[in-house]
Amino acid sequence: MRKRIISYSIVGLTLCSFVLVACGESKRKNGRTDTYSSGVISFASDESFSPIIDEEREVFHANYPDATVNPIYTTEGEGITLLLKDSVNLVITSREFKKKEYQSLYDRQFRPQTIKLAYDGLALIVNKNNVDTCISVKDIARVLRGEAKNWSDIFPGSTRGTITVVFDNKRSSTVHFAEDSILGGKPITNPNVVATNKTADVVEYVEKTPNAIGIIGSNWLNDKRDSTNLTFNKNIRVMSVSRNDKGTPANSWKPYQYYIYNGNYPLIRTIYALLNDPYHGLPWGFAQFMASPKGQLIILKSGLLPIQGNITIRDVNVNQ
């Protein structure tokens, strides 16, 4: 085994106390009493990010016992709607503010902020008995447009019949990515698309359905017993994806951490914290914690790629 280290710098983000507005907590119009590291707040997150958010919350609560951050796991669209209505002050999403969303908050004397947290691979999963596991981005687009309706349209000779595409929710970040980044901003038109209620349901659907393709965030795939993040859920298969017109084992990649890092994996999205917290209170404190070295280490160990951190890369000779 040869070992080499590739590092990229950590920019330290240290939790510190921010001075509250001059009038003090008692003059807050919405009654909030939270501080940067204490109090109780709710925030919104796309449900597909719940595994990593739950890990971040556990460590944050251990470090700041006077703070409680409660997630509202919902769709990306609903989460951003809650933020724009000032119902929450933090939402975890896979996109930045749109120009009109930012302007709407700015016009109401807010100063919204965006913090990059991590990179996630959008994973394609199939039934564990499906051996057709190399696919191109071009063929994924054909499936989503309904141009390739059967497995034999992509893999000649396949007898698996009609392809059923499964998403977690009609308004989720995975649907947004598929339409925006795979279909060039156009809607999904395949009639054989199923939307479940949450990501766990997508995995269960694929486990039971031989002809299905599920589209989920890669943070749902890792076997928690594997500290190397090189194994995935044993009850499904993860497809390898290629930028070439035809996917083959030689030109296709799975959403391993390193292939996200070096850009080989083509379906990569960024995870953001969108903030509208004029008091720089607990929503800001939790977002900054996730962006801090400790929060970034949690992301690294989860199998995602942190925005900032150190990665150890091992080259293994599989023939030995």
Side-chain angles (χ1 to χ4, degrees):
M1 179 184 292
R2 293 184 293 109
K3 180 176 178 181
R4 56 193 174 91
I5 306 293
I6 292 180
S7 299
Y8 55 112
S9 62
I10 294 178
V11 177
L13 293 173
T14 305
L15 283 175
C16 60
S17 298
F18 275 74
V19 178
L20 295 171
V21 290
C23 293
E25 293 180 1
S26 61
K27 297 295 183 68
R28 289 180 177 181
K29 294 180 180 179
N30 60 3
R32 283 177 53 188
T33 59
D34 58 283
T35 72
Y36 196 76
S37 58
S38 68
V40 180
I41 58 101
S42 294
F43 68 98
S45 173
D46 187 280
E47 184 271 339
S48 66
F49 303 136
S50 60
I52 184 60
I53 296 300
D54 286 343
E55 291 186 42
E56 294 279 2
R57 288 176 60 239
E58 182 178 354
V59 178
F60 183 77
H61 289 158
N63 280 266
Y64 301 95
D66 293 330
T68 302
V69 290
N70 296 315
I72 301 170
Y73 290 129
T74 183
T75 65
E76 182 173 81
E78 178 60 27
I80 292 175
T81 296
L82 290 172
L83 186 75
L84 294 174
K85 290 181 177 179
D86 202 26
S87 298
V88 298
N89 302 101
L90 167 66
V91 59
I92 310 301
T93 77
S94 67
R95 69 169 177 84
E96 299 182 77
F97 284 107
K98 293 180 179 179
K99 185 176 180 179
K100 63 180 180 180
E101 293 167 346
Y102 184 91
Q103 192 63 47
S104 172
L105 292 170
Y106 193 87
D107 289 345
R108 287 181 278 156
Q109 308 303 311
F110 292 116
R111 296 297 181 267
Q113 301 286 331
T114 301
I115 300 175
K116 288 184 179 182
L117 299 176
Y119 298 108
D120 182 27
L122 203 69
L124 277 66
I125 60 173
V126 294
N127 186 273
K128 65 180 180 180
N129 295 317
N130 191 339
V131 296
D132 297 320
T133 57
C134 290
I135 193 169
S136 68
V137 175
K138 181 179 179 180
D139 281 337
I140 298 169
R142 291 176 59 221
V143 171
L144 295 176
R145 289 194 295 263
E147 297 169 2
K149 296 182 180 179
N150 301 304
W151 281 95
S152 59
D153 294 331
I154 301 175
F155 304 98
S158 174
T159 59
R160 294 191 179 277
T162 302
I163 299 172
T164 300
V165 182
V166 193
F167 286 98
D168 49 351
N169 193 288
K170 292 180 180 179
R171 296 187 65 198
S172 72
S173 60
T174 53
V175 171
H176 172 258
F177 183 93
E179 293 182 334
D180 185 62
S181 299
I182 299 177
L183 296 180
K186 297 181 180 179
I188 297 168
T189 54
N190 187 331
N192 298 311
V193 172
V194 176
T196 63
N197 292 319
K198 53 187 179 180
T199 306
D201 293 339
V202 177
V203 178
E204 182 178 359
Y205 189 102
V206 171
E207 288 175 352
K208 297 177 179 179
T209 311
N211 64 325
I213 296 179
I215 303 180
I216 64 175
S218 64
N219 67 109
W220 280 85
L221 297 176
N222 290 312
D223 185 338
K224 299 303 182 184
R225 297 165 297 180
D226 175 25
S227 61
T228 67
N229 291 316
L230 294 178
T231 61
F232 293 131
N233 186 316
K234 299 298 191 302
N235 295 320
I236 56 176
R237 289 180 184 264
V238 180
M239 301 192 82
S240 299
V241 184
S242 174
R243 288 188 172 87
N244 294 16
D245 287 346
K246 182 66 176 177
T248 68
N251 65 22
S252 303
W253 310 92
K254 292 184 179 181
Y256 288 130
Q257 208 168 42
Y258 178 57
Y259 297 143
I260 296 174
Y261 171 74
N262 68 10
N264 280 349
Y265 191 70
L267 305 179
I268 301 173
R269 59 181 179 173
T270 305
I271 301 176
Y272 299 92
L274 303 186
L275 283 151
N276 179 36
D277 185 12
Y279 304 115
H280 288 93
L282 192 52
W284 187 269
F286 182 54
Q288 290 284 27
F289 172 81
M290 289 188 285
S292 73
K294 185 172 288 186
Q296 293 286 284
L297 182 60
I298 295 168
I299 289 170
L300 179 66
K301 290 182 176 180
S302 76
L304 300 186
L305 185 70
I307 293 294
Q308 303 168 94
N310 295 320
I311 291 183
T312 300
I313 300 168
R314 296 178 176 88
D315 293 334
V316 179
N317 187 343
V318 296
N319 295 319
Q320 293 182 351

